Amino acid sequence: MTSLVILRDRQAVTTSLQVAEAFDKKHKDVLEAIDNKIQSAEISAHYQNMFVEGEYKDSRSRSQRMYYMNRDGFSFIAFGFTGSKADEFKLKYIRSFNKMEEHIKKQQLKLSDSPREKLRLMFEFQEEVADRVEAVESDVEYLKDNQLLTEPDYRTISTMVRNKIRIICTQQHLNSKAKTELFKDLNSSIKRITGAAARNRIKAKQFDEVVKFINNWMPSTATMTIIDQMDLLEDE
């Protein structure tokens, strides 16, 4: 892989090509994600400060679209990518941005002839370094708080849900229609306690809580009443 972050017009940037390669995405999908943000009518001007369109030559020497993006642009695009591998690359990019920006500041100090200007740049550099450290810590905390379930943990919860329903159906001699109602009840309960729209949107930090909940879960009175009513209808 080429350098994660490069210097362009005296600014630390990366490219849509590098992001696509690092996160194992199709380049056209990364382009589409950026296009959608830039075309957002409400804050398009803000996004345009983060992305600059450019070109590259493909393997057949044809000119193709790409984007340069600064740290903010990268954050808006990449922080939607999930998984442990994605998190690893996010943190690598953040460190690379910091390193390149530090290099730019040092070069500015070397090129400055005025002692006063050097002093001003030095203070400015120190302030920016402090801000970047705080930003990195904030980014890391955000990733920890919003990381979704890993695939193995998701499979574990799905298996636990199926087993829980199977055990209840076996113990109470319930049919397939009852099983459907139990699934609806349990899935709805998991959504309520996690705030997730679906099981695959549960956060990693909620895994233990969900496991404990499933182990202790019993169908609601309303669900059991519906099941009893279905049994009565079948007996008529």
Side-chain angles (χ1 to χ4, degrees):
M1 182 190 299
T2 56
S3 299
L4 298 179
V5 177
I6 59 177
L7 179 62
R8 183 177 186 271
D9 296 334
R10 300 184 68 177
Q11 185 179 12
V13 300
T14 189
T15 70
S16 53
L17 282 170
Q18 291 163 315
V19 169
E21 180 183 359
F23 291 93
D24 196 24
K25 302 285 184 182
K26 293 181 180 179
H27 186 229
K28 66 175 183 178
D29 293 336
V30 176
L31 289 178
E32 183 179 358
I34 297 173
D35 288 337
N36 289 338
K37 292 222 175 264
I38 293 176
Q39 292 166 8
S40 173
E42 297 177 355
I43 47 177
S44 60
H46 183 64
Y47 285 129
Q48 287 170 2
N49 292 329
M50 301 178 186
F51 305 100
V52 174
E53 190 165 348
E55 289 185 349
Y56 73 97
K57 297 291 185 182
D58 63 16
S59 59
R60 297 168 63 181
S61 298
R62 298 174 300 183
S63 294
Q64 302 286 357
R65 290 176 64 228
M66 60 174 273
Y67 277 104
Y68 294 98
M69 66 191 83
N70 61 17
R71 172 203 282 269
D72 292 337
F74 165 77
S75 298
F76 270 97
I77 294 301
F79 277 16
F81 303 155
T82 59
S84 57
K85 182 178 179 182
D87 287 345
E88 178 185 347
F89 276 115
K90 291 172 196 173
L91 295 177
K92 282 184 180 180
Y93 268 98
I94 291 169
R95 287 193 291 266
S96 296
F97 272 110
N98 286 336
K99 187 175 180 180
M100 180 60 75
E101 287 165 356
E102 180 180 350
H103 171 73
I104 293 170
K105 285 295 181 183
K106 286 181 177 179
Q107 291 301 112
Q108 289 176 338
L109 285 172
K110 288 179 181 179
L111 294 173
S112 176
D113 294 328
S114 166
R116 179 175 294 181
E117 180 65 10
K118 281 187 177 182
L119 187 62
R120 185 189 69 78
L121 288 171
M122 187 175 298
F123 278 119
E124 183 180 306
F125 173 56
Q126 290 173 343
E127 288 178 358
E128 288 197 16
V129 168
D131 289 342
R132 291 307 187 191
V133 170
E134 183 178 349
V136 170
E137 291 175 348
S138 176
D139 289 341
V140 172
E141 194 61 31
Y142 175 86
L143 293 175
K144 288 180 180 178
D145 287 342
N146 292 278
Q147 175 64 49
L148 298 180
L149 287 176
T150 62
E151 185 62 27
D153 285 348
Y154 172 78
R155 289 198 299 268
T156 296
I157 287 178
S158 297
T159 300
M160 289 185 66
V161 167
R162 290 194 298 271
N163 288 341
K164 186 71 174 183
I165 301 302
R166 178 181 55 79
I167 290 171
I168 292 175
C169 287
T170 300
Q171 291 174 340
Q172 301 191 29
H173 308 289
L174 301 176
N175 59 26
S176 59
K177 289 184 179 180
K179 182 185 294 185
T180 299
E181 292 299 322
L182 292 174
F183 268 116
K184 286 163 56 177
D185 190 349
L186 180 49
N187 283 326
S188 175
S189 298
I190 292 173
K191 290 177 185 179
R192 285 203 304 273
I193 68 165
T194 61
R199 264 187 273 159
N200 62 358
R201 305 308 298 173
I202 295 172
K203 295 178 181 178
K205 65 180 183 180
Q206 297 173 313
F207 175 75
D208 291 338
E209 177 188 1
V210 174
V211 167
K212 181 179 179 181
F213 177 79
I214 295 172
N215 283 331
N216 295 327
W217 178 82
M218 291 300 293
S220 68
T221 302
T223 295
M224 293 309 299
T225 300
I226 292 172
I227 291 172
D228 289 342
Q229 290 173 344
M230 289 190 302
D231 288 341
L232 289 174
L233 289 174
E234 288 184 355
D235 291 339
E236 290 180 357

